[in-house]
Amino acid sequence: MYYFAYGFKKPIAPLLALQVAQQAMVNAGFTVFDPVAPGKVTLGGTQTQAGVMVTVVAMDCEGGAAVVVNGFCANDLAVDSARSFAENIAAAVNYA
């Protein structure tokens, strides 16, 4: 199992951070198994072709959101994809 984590603070609402992350996942061909909903702090999806799972946590933090993006894969051939997907989803939220 390979694991990549990216964390940062963003001056936006946690729900908006999750919505941006979910749209980035959908755009990248992910199937979202834990969708965004009011009151939730998590999001999760899989990209089966690449063998990658990404989860996002966004919580209230001093006038914004603390965001953590995690990328997982179990296959040696998917390591670069897991890193890339997690980085791209984190970047989408970070630049929102």
Side-chain angles (χ1 to χ4, degrees):
M1 171 77 63
Y2 297 90
Y3 170 72
F4 303 93
Y6 302 90
F8 50 92
K9 183 178 170 191
K10 188 74 180 154
I12 61 175
L15 182 60
L16 178 57
L18 290 173
Q19 290 169 334
V20 170
Q22 181 169 294
Q23 189 58 54
M25 282 184 177
V26 169
N27 292 346
F30 277 72
T31 300
V32 176
F33 62 81
D34 182 20
V36 173
K40 285 186 62 191
V41 298
T42 61
L43 163 68
T46 56
Q47 217 293 358
T48 53
Q49 287 180 320
V52 173
M53 180 174 71
V54 172
T55 63
V56 181
V57 177
M59 297 172 53
D60 283 323
C61 178
E62 301 171 352
V67 181
V68 178
V69 179
N70 303 294
F72 305 88
C73 69
N75 183 335
D76 292 342
L77 300 175
V79 172
D80 289 336
S81 292
R83 179 185 303 115
S84 178
F85 280 127
E87 286 176 353
N88 290 340
I89 291 165
V93 175
N94 202 25
Y95 295 115

